[in-house]
PDB file of all heavy atoms in Angstrom:
ATOM      1  N   TYR H  94     102.077 113.545 115.881  1.00 94.00           N
ATOM      2  CA  TYR H  94     101.536 113.620 114.520  1.00 94.00           C
ATOM      3  C   TYR H  94     100.829 115.001 114.221  1.00 94.00           C
ATOM      4  O   TYR H  94     100.741 115.228 113.077  1.00 94.00           O
ATOM      5  CB  TYR H  94     100.555 112.422 114.378  1.00 94.00           C
ATOM      6  CG  TYR H  94     101.187 111.082 114.367  1.00 94.00           C
ATOM      7  CD1 TYR H  94     100.906 110.119 115.303  1.00 94.00           C
ATOM      8  CD2 TYR H  94     102.221 110.678 113.377  1.00 94.00           C
ATOM      9  CE1 TYR H  94     101.402 108.871 115.280  1.00 94.00           C
ATOM     10  CE2 TYR H  94     102.675 109.445 113.389  1.00 94.00           C
ATOM     11  CZ  TYR H  94     102.305 108.543 114.368  1.00 94.00           C
ATOM     12  OH  TYR H  94     102.994 107.301 114.336  1.00 94.00           O
ATOM     13  N   GLU H  95     100.404 115.641 115.194  1.00 95.00           N
ATOM     14  CA  GLU H  95      99.695 116.942 115.015  1.00 95.00           C
ATOM     15  C   GLU H  95     100.691 118.108 114.982  1.00 95.00           C
ATOM     16  O   GLU H  95     100.235 119.220 114.702  1.00 95.00           O
ATOM     17  CB  GLU H  95      98.659 117.026 116.115  1.00 95.00           C
ATOM     18  CG  GLU H  95      97.433 116.167 116.032  1.00 95.00           C
ATOM     19  CD  GLU H  95      97.746 114.846 116.599  1.00 95.00           C
ATOM     20  OE1 GLU H  95      98.546 114.697 117.514  1.00 95.00           O
ATOM     21  OE2 GLU H  95      97.209 113.850 116.062  1.00 95.00           O
ATOM     22  N   ALA H  96     101.902 117.932 115.157  1.00 94.00           N
ATOM     23  CA  ALA H  96     102.931 118.983 115.135  1.00 94.00           C
ATOM     24  C   ALA H  96     102.914 119.724 113.802  1.00 94.00           C
ATOM     25  O   ALA H  96     102.725 119.131 112.758  1.00 94.00           O
ATOM     26  CB  ALA H  96     104.326 118.467 115.454  1.00 94.00           C
ATOM     27  N   LEU H  97     102.875 121.117 113.893  1.00 96.00           N
ATOM     28  CA  LEU H  97     102.928 121.902 112.606  1.00 96.00           C
ATOM     29  C   LEU H  97     104.431 122.193 112.094  1.00 96.00           C
ATOM     30  O   LEU H  97     105.249 122.579 112.935  1.00 96.00           O
ATOM     31  CB  LEU H  97     102.255 123.169 112.851  1.00 96.00           C
ATOM     32  CG  LEU H  97     100.721 123.077 113.090  1.00 96.00           C
ATOM     33  CD1 LEU H  97     100.108 124.442 113.327  1.00 96.00           C
ATOM     34  CD2 LEU H  97      99.993 122.430 111.892  1.00 96.00           C
ATOM     35  N   LEU H  98     104.660 121.958 110.886  1.00 97.00           N
ATOM     36  CA  LEU H  98     105.911 122.194 110.234  1.00 97.00           C
ATOM     37  C   LEU H  98     105.765 123.220 109.096  1.00 97.00           C
ATOM     38  O   LEU H  98     104.603 123.470 108.693  1.00 97.00           O
ATOM     39  CB  LEU H  98     106.407 120.910 109.673  1.00 97.00           C
ATOM     40  CG  LEU H  98     106.674 119.785 110.650  1.00 97.00           C
ATOM     41  CD1 LEU H  98     106.881 118.481 109.884  1.00 97.00           C
ATOM     42  CD2 LEU H  98     107.999 120.031 111.446  1.00 97.00           C
ATOM     43  N   GLN H  99     106.795 123.774 108.580  1.00 97.00           N
ATOM     44  CA  GLN H  99     106.742 124.713 107.496  1.00 97.00           C
ATOM     45  C   GLN H  99     108.050 124.630 106.663  1.00 97.00           C
ATOM     46  O   GLN H  99     109.180 124.267 107.287  1.00 97.00           O
ATOM     47  CB  GLN H  99     106.584 126.103 108.010  1.00 97.00           C
ATOM     48  CG  GLN H  99     106.276 127.090 107.070  1.00 97.00           C
ATOM     49  CD  GLN H  99     105.915 128.433 107.574  1.00 97.00           C
ATOM     50  OE1 GLN H  99     105.990 128.624 108.759  1.00 97.00           O
ATOM     51  NE2 GLN H  99     105.398 129.285 106.717  1.00 97.00           N
ATOM     52  N   ILE H 100     108.008 124.796 105.418  1.00 97.00           N
ATOM     53  CA  ILE H 100     109.183 124.862 104.629  1.00 97.00           C
ATOM     54  C   ILE H 100     109.886 126.181 104.773  1.00 97.00           C
ATOM     55  O   ILE H 100     109.256 127.245 104.619  1.00 97.00           O
ATOM     56  CB  ILE H 100     108.778 124.487 103.123  1.00 97.00           C
ATOM     57  CG1 ILE H 100     108.267 123.130 102.986  1.00 97.00           C
ATOM     58  CG2 ILE H 100     110.002 124.720 102.261  1.00 97.00           C
ATOM     59  CD1 ILE H 100     107.725 122.928 101.655  1.00 97.00           C
ATOM     60  N   ASP H 101     111.193 126.143 105.071  1.00 96.00           N
ATOM     61  CA  ASP H 101     111.989 127.406 104.946  1.00 96.00           C
ATOM     62  C   ASP H 101     112.353 127.583 103.523  1.00 96.00           C
ATOM     63  O   ASP H 101     113.230 126.961 103.071  1.00 96.00           O
ATOM     64  CB  ASP H 101     113.191 127.300 105.942  1.00 96.00           C
ATOM     65  CG  ASP H 101     114.036 128.533 105.887  1.00 96.00           C
ATOM     66  OD1 ASP H 101     114.028 129.295 104.916  1.00 96.00           O
ATOM     67  OD2 ASP H 101     114.777 128.775 106.897  1.00 96.00           O
ATOM     68  N   GLU H 102     111.604 128.439 102.743  1.00 95.00           N
ATOM     69  CA  GLU H 102     111.686 128.476 101.462  1.00 95.00           C
ATOM     70  C   GLU H 102     113.101 128.869 100.943  1.00 95.00           C
ATOM     71  O   GLU H 102     113.687 128.267  99.971  1.00 95.00           O
ATOM     72  CB  GLU H 102     110.673 129.432 100.808  1.00 95.00           C
ATOM     73  CG  GLU H 102     110.640 129.465  99.273  1.00 95.00           C
ATOM     74  CD  GLU H 102     109.668 130.303  98.666  1.00 95.00           C
ATOM     75  OE1 GLU H 102     108.758 130.895  99.497  1.00 95.00           O
ATOM     76  OE2 GLU H 102     109.624 130.639  97.488  1.00 95.00           O
ATOM     77  N   ARG H 103     113.712 129.833 101.504  1.00 96.00           N
ATOM     78  CA  ARG H 103     115.003 130.267 101.143  1.00 96.00           C
ATOM     79  C   ARG H 103     116.057 129.140 101.251  1.00 96.00           C
ATOM     80  O   ARG H 103     116.785 128.893 100.379  1.00 96.00           O
ATOM     81  CB  ARG H 103     115.428 131.504 102.028  1.00 96.00           C
ATOM     82  CG  ARG H 103     116.819 132.048 101.773  1.00 96.00           C
ATOM     83  CD  ARG H 103     117.215 133.058 102.688  1.00 96.00           C
ATOM     84  NE  ARG H 103     117.319 132.575 104.116  1.00 96.00           N
ATOM     85  CZ  ARG H 103     118.305 131.823 104.580  1.00 96.00           C
ATOM     86  NH1 ARG H 103     119.340 131.608 103.789  1.00 96.00           N
ATOM     87  NH2 ARG H 103     118.332 131.500 105.807  1.00 96.00           N
ATOM     88  N   ARG H 104     116.036 128.449 102.334  1.00 96.00           N
ATOM     89  CA  ARG H 104     117.017 127.329 102.475  1.00 96.00           C
ATOM     90  C   ARG H 104     116.665 126.201 101.608  1.00 96.00           C
ATOM     91  O   ARG H 104     117.528 125.469 101.105  1.00 96.00           O
ATOM     92  CB  ARG H 104     116.977 126.836 103.975  1.00 96.00           C
ATOM     93  CG  ARG H 104     117.615 127.869 104.840  1.00 96.00           C
ATOM     94  CD  ARG H 104     117.705 127.553 106.284  1.00 96.00           C
ATOM     95  NE  ARG H 104     118.922 126.711 106.463  1.00 96.00           N
ATOM     96  CZ  ARG H 104     119.276 126.199 107.586  1.00 96.00           C
ATOM     97  NH1 ARG H 104     118.598 126.320 108.668  1.00 96.00           N
ATOM     98  NH2 ARG H 104     120.402 125.412 107.656  1.00 96.00           N
ATOM     99  N   ALA H 105     115.417 125.899 101.363  1.00 96.00           N
ATOM    100  CA  ALA H 105     114.974 124.796 100.603  1.00 96.00           C
ATOM    101  C   ALA H 105     115.420 125.078  99.086  1.00 96.00           C
ATOM    102  O   ALA H 105     115.910 124.108  98.363  1.00 96.00           O
ATOM    103  CB  ALA H 105     113.507 124.505 100.624  1.00 96.00           C
ATOM    104  N   ARG H 106     115.191 126.308  98.712  1.00 95.00           N
ATOM    105  CA  ARG H 106     115.535 126.582  97.222  1.00 95.00           C
ATOM    106  C   ARG H 106     117.046 126.473  97.080  1.00 95.00           C
ATOM    107  O   ARG H 106     117.534 126.168  96.026  1.00 95.00           O
ATOM    108  CB  ARG H 106     115.082 127.971  96.861  1.00 95.00           C
ATOM    109  CG  ARG H 106     113.627 128.012  96.609  1.00 95.00           C
ATOM    110  CD  ARG H 106     113.090 129.468  96.156  1.00 95.00           C
ATOM    111  NE  ARG H 106     111.718 129.466  95.936  1.00 95.00           N
ATOM    112  CZ  ARG H 106     111.095 129.167  94.754  1.00 95.00           C
ATOM    113  NH1 ARG H 106     111.838 128.744  93.724  1.00 95.00           N
ATOM    114  NH2 ARG H 106     109.823 129.216  94.708  1.00 95.00           N
ATOM    115  N   ALA H 107     117.858 126.999  98.112  1.00 95.00           N
ATOM    116  CA  ALA H 107     119.195 126.784  98.019  1.00 95.00           C
ATOM    117  C   ALA H 107     119.770 125.385  98.027  1.00 95.00           C
ATOM    118  O   ALA H 107     120.679 125.012  97.321  1.00 95.00           O
ATOM    119  CB  ALA H 107     119.941 127.487  99.142  1.00 95.00           C
ATOM    120  N   ALA H 108     119.167 124.471  98.852  1.00 94.00           N
ATOM    121  CA  ALA H 108     119.513 123.124  98.950  1.00 94.00           C
ATOM    122  C   ALA H 108     119.031 122.201  97.779  1.00 94.00           C
ATOM    123  O   ALA H 108     119.709 121.315  97.332  1.00 94.00           O
ATOM    124  CB  ALA H 108     119.109 122.554 100.246  1.00 94.00           C
ATOM    125  N   PHE H 109     117.837 122.507  97.370  1.00 94.00           N
ATOM    126  CA  PHE H 109     117.256 121.635  96.245  1.00 94.00           C
ATOM    127  C   PHE H 109     116.589 122.540  95.078  1.00 94.00           C
ATOM    128  O   PHE H 109     115.370 122.581  94.990  1.00 94.00           O
ATOM    129  CB  PHE H 109     115.993 120.837  96.942  1.00 94.00           C
ATOM    130  CG  PHE H 109     116.555 119.933  98.091  1.00 94.00           C
ATOM    131  CD1 PHE H 109     116.086 120.289  99.350  1.00 94.00           C
ATOM    132  CD2 PHE H 109     117.271 118.934  97.947  1.00 94.00           C
ATOM    133  CE1 PHE H 109     116.509 119.589 100.419  1.00 94.00           C
ATOM    134  CE2 PHE H 109     117.788 118.085  98.974  1.00 94.00           C
ATOM    135  CZ  PHE H 109     117.319 118.427 100.221  1.00 94.00           C
ATOM    136  N   PRO H 110     117.417 123.273  94.387  1.00 94.00           N
ATOM    137  CA  PRO H 110     116.844 124.104  93.348  1.00 94.00           C
ATOM    138  C   PRO H 110     116.122 123.327  92.378  1.00 94.00           C
ATOM    139  O   PRO H 110     115.098 123.897  91.831  1.00 94.00           O
ATOM    140  CB  PRO H 110     118.216 124.762  92.744  1.00 94.00           C
ATOM    141  CG  PRO H 110     119.328 123.926  93.113  1.00 94.00           C
ATOM    142  CD  PRO H 110     118.926 123.211  94.478  1.00 94.00           C
ATOM    143  N   GLU H 111     116.504 122.127  92.029  1.00 93.00           N
ATOM    144  CA  GLU H 111     115.732 121.416  91.005  1.00 93.00           C
ATOM    145  C   GLU H 111     114.369 121.007  91.508  1.00 93.00           C
ATOM    146  O   GLU H 111     113.529 120.728  90.691  1.00 93.00           O
ATOM    147  CB  GLU H 111     116.505 120.151  90.713  1.00 93.00           C
ATOM    148  CG  GLU H 111     116.883 119.167  91.792  1.00 93.00           C
ATOM    149  CD  GLU H 111     118.153 119.575  92.482  1.00 93.00           C
ATOM    150  OE1 GLU H 111     118.602 120.722  92.507  1.00 93.00           O
ATOM    151  OE2 GLU H 111     118.746 118.663  93.048  1.00 93.00           O
ATOM    152  N   ALA H 112     114.061 121.086  92.746  1.00 91.00           N
ATOM    153  CA  ALA H 112     112.629 120.802  93.288  1.00 91.00           C
ATOM    154  C   ALA H 112     111.757 121.978  92.948  1.00 91.00           C
ATOM    155  O   ALA H 112     110.497 121.762  92.982  1.00 91.00           O
ATOM    156  CB  ALA H 112     112.739 120.635  94.720  1.00 91.00           C
ATOM    157  N   PHE H 113     112.257 123.108  92.573  1.00 91.00           N
ATOM    158  CA  PHE H 113     111.509 124.362  92.254  1.00 91.00           C
ATOM    159  C   PHE H 113     111.594 124.670  90.811  1.00 91.00           C
ATOM    160  O   PHE H 113     110.980 125.720  90.462  1.00 91.00           O
ATOM    161  CB  PHE H 113     111.881 125.479  93.206  1.00 91.00           C
ATOM    162  CG  PHE H 113     111.796 125.147  94.598  1.00 91.00           C
ATOM    163  CD1 PHE H 113     112.866 124.615  95.381  1.00 91.00           C
ATOM    164  CD2 PHE H 113     110.651 125.441  95.307  1.00 91.00           C
ATOM    165  CE1 PHE H 113     112.779 124.287  96.695  1.00 91.00           C
ATOM    166  CE2 PHE H 113     110.547 125.190  96.654  1.00 91.00           C
ATOM    167  CZ  PHE H 113     111.536 124.623  97.379  1.00 91.00           C
ATOM    168  N   GLU H 114     112.202 123.896  89.967  1.00 82.00           N
ATOM    169  CA  GLU H 114     112.479 124.289  88.573  1.00 82.00           C
ATOM    170  C   GLU H 114     111.234 124.377  87.770  1.00 82.00           C
ATOM    171  O   GLU H 114     111.094 125.287  86.884  1.00 82.00           O
ATOM    172  CB  GLU H 114     113.481 123.333  87.925  1.00 82.00           C
ATOM    173  CG  GLU H 114     114.867 123.614  88.296  1.00 82.00           C
ATOM    174  CD  GLU H 114     115.893 122.682  87.676  1.00 82.00           C
ATOM    175  OE1 GLU H 114     115.487 121.728  87.006  1.00 82.00           O
ATOM    176  OE2 GLU H 114     117.073 122.853  88.000  1.00 82.00           O
ATOM    177  N   GLU H 115     110.307 123.542  87.980  1.00 67.00           N
ATOM    178  CA  GLU H 115     109.074 123.491  87.186  1.00 67.00           C
ATOM    179  C   GLU H 115     108.218 124.711  87.320  1.00 67.00           C
ATOM    180  O   GLU H 115     107.441 125.032  86.450  1.00 67.00           O
ATOM    181  CB  GLU H 115     108.254 122.241  87.508  1.00 67.00           C
ATOM    182  CG  GLU H 115     108.834 120.999  86.986  1.00 67.00           C
ATOM    183  CD  GLU H 115     107.955 119.782  86.960  1.00 67.00           C
ATOM    184  OE1 GLU H 115     106.646 119.961  87.020  1.00 67.00           O
ATOM    185  OE2 GLU H 115     108.507 118.713  87.066  1.00 67.00           O
ATOM    186  N   GLU H 116     108.372 125.409  88.387  1.00 54.00           N
ATOM    187  CA  GLU H 116     107.617 126.663  88.618  1.00 54.00           C
ATOM    188  C   GLU H 116     107.864 127.722  87.588  1.00 54.00           C
ATOM    189  O   GLU H 116     107.000 128.366  87.140  1.00 54.00           O
ATOM    190  CB  GLU H 116     108.054 127.311  90.012  1.00 54.00           C
ATOM    191  CG  GLU H 116     107.093 126.938  91.085  1.00 54.00           C
ATOM    192  CD  GLU H 116     107.509 127.664  92.366  1.00 54.00           C
ATOM    193  OE1 GLU H 116     108.220 128.713  92.329  1.00 54.00           O
ATOM    194  OE2 GLU H 116     107.114 127.240  93.428  1.00 54.00           O
TER     195      GLU H 116
END
Side-chain angles (χ1 to χ4, degrees):
Y94 290 118
E95 290 79 31
L97 292 178
L98 299 163
Q99 189 168 9
I100 296 172
D101 182 335
E102 185 177 353
R103 183 185 58 78
R104 293 181 81 180
R106 284 182 183 274
F109 304 108
E111 57 274 28
F113 299 90
E114 283 178 357
E115 287 191 24
E116 262 184 22

